[in-house]
Amino acid sequence: MTTLSRVELKFELGLGKVSDITTVRKALGHRKWQNAQVEGVDIDEVREYYRLIREEMKSPTDALLDIASKRTGYAEHCDDINDSEIDHSENRDGQEETSQLVVAVRGATSEAALAMTDVGAAAAASVVDAFYISLGENVVDQLRSRSTNTRANFREIVGSVQNAPLDLRNGSLPGKKTHPPKQITGAWG
């Protein structure tokens, strides 16, 4: 069975005080929470507690409940969890469960995400402007092309009409129609 001293575990987890490990072990209900040596499953549960707090941003109570709910066959070696062992007061140091490195990485990541949002917004404005300018220019260009082509097509029709010979033999012109005089046949003729 693997064992670590509380001091080794404190350094591994980047904690400021050995008492942080003792407090968490007591809250998790470890029966040997006062021992200087931390054993097997107790080590895993302490590591898991700090992982839940740091990476999944769970509250101390939720982290304790999550760990306790996953215990299989190990619970008989533990007393009940007790979240009152962990200080929930307003005087509690907000970084007591996170190492400075984790806090620094989290802060840098947050700032980088905000900066990328600003860059994205600026780029989006330029892209949208370029899109509207391009769209307007293309529409105007297409309309000019259509109007030029339409007029050119009608010029051909006008030219064809002007050059076509008129054959009015079977046609009729507008106006009053005259009928040939009728011949009257009668007594004299």
Side-chain angles (χ1 to χ4, degrees):
M1 178 179 282
T2 307
T3 61
L4 287 175
S5 72
R6 287 183 295 186
V7 175
E8 291 171 323
L9 195 54
K10 174 192 94 144
F11 284 120
E12 176 187 322
L13 296 172
L15 300 172
K17 304 176 284 189
V18 172
S19 63
D20 292 337
I21 292 175
T22 306
T23 303
V24 169
R25 292 184 68 206
K26 188 174 182 183
L28 284 166
H30 295 167
R31 291 200 178 134
K32 298 179 181 179
W33 62 270
Q34 292 177 324
N35 288 0
Q37 294 295 316
V38 186
E39 299 176 349
V41 178
D42 291 357
I43 295 170
D44 295 337
E45 286 190 349
V46 171
R47 286 176 179 154
E48 179 65 6
Y49 172 83
Y50 282 104
R51 187 192 70 76
L52 292 171
I53 295 290
R54 293 173 176 168
E55 295 175 18
E56 296 188 20
M57 306 297 236
K58 291 195 174 193
S59 70
T61 303
D62 290 341
L64 292 172
L65 289 172
D66 194 29
I67 292 168
S69 69
K70 293 178 183 173
R71 288 178 175 163
T72 55
Y74 175 69
E76 69 263 7
H77 300 290
C78 299
D79 296 327
D80 291 332
I81 63 168
N82 183 0
D83 74 325
S84 66
E85 297 298 331
I86 296 176
D87 184 12
H88 294 282
S89 69
E90 300 213 3
N91 299 324
R92 181 174 174 229
D93 180 7
Q95 296 179 2
E96 78 179 293
E97 282 136 356
T98 52
S99 69
Q100 291 179 0
L101 177 61
V102 173
V103 171
V105 169
R106 194 176 292 150
T109 304
S110 176
E111 288 301 315
L114 291 172
M116 288 304 294
T117 302
D118 294 342
V119 169
S126 299
V127 168
V128 169
D129 288 345
F131 170 75
Y132 279 120
I133 291 168
S134 176
L135 176 66
E137 287 297 317
N138 284 325
V139 168
V140 168
D141 185 54
Q142 289 294 322
L143 288 173
R144 283 184 186 147
S145 176
R146 285 275 168 99
S147 65
T148 303
N149 289 341
T150 302
R151 185 118 191 228
N153 289 341
F154 277 108
R155 273 193 213 126
E156 288 181 28
I157 294 171
V158 168
S160 295
V161 170
Q162 287 175 343
N163 294 330
L166 292 176
D167 183 6
L168 299 177
R169 286 177 282 180
N170 295 327
S172 62
L173 295 174
K176 187 176 177 184
K177 293 189 178 188
T178 57
H179 296 288
K182 290 185 181 180
Q183 293 194 357
I184 301 176
T185 55
W188 298 285

